[in-house]
Amino acid sequence: MTIDRVAVLGCGLMGSGIAEVCARAGLETTVREVDDDLLEAGLGRIRKSLGRAASKGKLDETQVDEILARITGTTRLADLADVDLVVEAIVENLEVKTETFAELDRVVQPQAIFASNTSSLTITELAAATGRTDRFIGLHFFNPVPVMKLVEIVRVLSTSDETVADAQEFVRAVGKDPVLARDNSGFIVNRLLVPYLLDAIRAVEEGVGSIEDIDKAMQLGCGHPMGPLTLLDFVGLDTTYFIANIMFEEYREKRFAPPPLLKRMVLAGHNGRKSGRGFYDYSDR
Ligand code: 3HC
């Protein structure tokens, strides 16, 4: 199957990035948000990101206009009826996601593939809300989507080989490199990354080094682009707390258990860059 028309559900940090890479790859892209304000904010995020690429000389003004012309915004699921692929990137809430997929299943053409960008819920649970479990798959992108090359493709027991092949082709068409992962909580990246990030918080709790020195150590000692505490602020402490709890629930292993400092920071609203404060202060940005 050729994927020409894509719908992206949710135009937050991840959804706007996914919509951008789809439109940049020449695909007709419809983004759906729950209300006009969120939709406008999401489209604004895409415009800003394209503007950034243009200011660096990676795109010219005509290309930016062409890309934006391929993106349609809507608040209605019914407008997605004719798409070939739906990529869901809405709130990480099982009930909201399953309700949305059940409704989509009624309105979107039967041959279309459904994908979820969930980072912590199991794809199997989401697929079960639809009557197209053979055309259901996980497509897990990474933040910032326009930059990070990886997409984890997650098949469930019922996903057909054709759907996996179509998903691989789509991922390559949008300029990303796929890996195949089993439908275990955290897939490959978060399974390895989350315990590392939680351990960095434990290192802060134990006073192993200062926040700055822990970050500097991993940047300069291991060549990581960001130290773990900067990365936590970047991903969001609330998001990490949420993912860690789900992974702990699944594996019941201490390495996935959120440390007390993480919980306290989230309760205090220190959610990282987006809230102006996390391990570092972003209030002046
Ligand atoms: N959108 C678009 N482009 C962006 C961007 C954004 N939000 N942020 C940075 N860029 C681009 C810049 O334009 C620049 O492009 P160029 O090299 O072609 O000029 C390039 O990325 C590098 O950016 P900067 O020079 O501004 O800054 P850095 O060199 O510090 O790079 C970074 C920024 C790419 C974010 C880098 O620090 C990095 O790779 N950090 C690690 C990110 C990471 O680990 N992400 C995965 C998080 S885990 C996840 O998403 C899973 C989830 O389930 C939790």
Side-chain angles (χ1 to χ4, degrees):
M1 165 171 155
T2 315
I3 293 172
D4 295 319
R5 287 159 302 176
V6 179
V8 180
L9 291 193
C11 202
L13 201 61
M14 298 303 284
S16 60
I18 297 168
E20 179 186 330
V21 296
C22 289
R24 283 177 82 154
L27 305 174
E28 288 304 319
T29 307
T30 306
V31 289
R32 186 261 182 178
E33 256 301 353
V34 286
D35 65 42
D36 289 330
D37 289 346
L38 286 173
L39 183 59
E40 197 35 57
L43 293 173
R45 212 172 276 127
I46 297 173
R47 283 193 286 268
K48 189 173 164 195
S49 183
L50 291 172
R52 180 185 188 143
S55 70
K56 295 200 167 189
K58 288 189 224 161
L59 295 171
D60 61 34
E61 260 179 47
T62 315
Q63 287 170 313
V64 170
D65 290 344
E66 283 168 359
I67 293 164
L68 287 172
R70 282 195 282 272
I71 301 176
T72 310
T74 184
T75 55
R76 287 160 27 98
L77 286 182
D79 290 341
L80 314 181
D82 297 330
V83 301
D84 306 310
L85 169 71
V86 177
V87 183
E88 170 275 312
I90 63 173
V91 57
E92 282 287 272
N93 177 303
L94 181 63
E95 206 181 326
V96 178
K97 282 191 200 278
T98 48
E99 272 171 17
T100 306
F101 272 121
E103 192 178 344
L104 275 174
D105 202 26
R106 291 190 284 274
V107 299
V108 179
Q109 58 176 335
Q111 68 271 28
I113 295 172
F114 284 0
S116 174
N117 179 58
T118 182
S119 50
S120 53
L121 303 170
T122 60
I123 305 299
T124 309
E125 280 176 295
L126 302 176
T130 72
R132 59 181 91 196
T133 55
D134 57 326
R135 271 154 294 125
F136 204 106
I137 202 152
L139 287 179
H140 186 212
F141 290 77
F142 293 83
N143 181 25
V145 177
V147 181
M148 305 312 280
K149 284 286 166 211
L150 183 71
V151 176
E152 290 178 311
I153 296 184
V154 186
R155 72 183 297 171
V156 297
L157 292 176
S158 52
T159 310
S160 69
D161 290 342
E162 291 78 10
T163 300
V164 175
D166 289 343
Q168 285 171 319
E169 200 174 311
F170 164 75
V171 167
R172 293 195 180 101
V174 298
K176 306 292 179 195
D177 233 332
V179 291
L180 280 176
R182 259 189 25 202
D183 188 26
N184 283 359
S185 185
F187 314 133
I188 297 172
V189 171
N190 281 340
R191 166 100 186 214
L192 298 174
L193 179 66
V194 171
Y196 160 68
L197 295 178
L198 299 179
D199 238 356
I201 301 173
R202 288 185 195 107
V204 174
E205 286 178 330
E206 290 162 19
V208 170
S210 67
I211 290 169
E212 290 78 7
D213 280 353
I214 290 171
D215 272 350
K216 186 172 167 184
M218 293 312 291
Q219 270 190 289
L220 302 187
C222 296
H224 290 190
M226 285 175 168
L229 303 161
T230 304
L231 184 54
L232 276 156
D233 279 356
F234 182 71
V235 168
L237 271 66
D238 51 343
T239 305
T240 308
Y241 182 60
F242 185 83
I243 296 174
N245 273 315
I246 290 189
M247 294 182 77
F248 182 68
E249 193 63 36
E250 171 131 335
Y251 298 112
R252 294 278 162 190
E253 289 178 28
K254 188 170 176 270
R255 64 200 166 115
F256 299 109
L261 176 59
L262 176 59
K263 183 176 178 180
R264 268 184 268 123
M265 289 179 74
V266 172
L267 286 174
H270 295 186
N271 288 328
R273 201 183 280 220
K274 64 185 166 190
S275 71
R277 183 139 184 214
F279 286 99
Y280 297 91
D281 187 352
Y282 305 89
S283 51
D284 60 341
R285 297 196 193 168

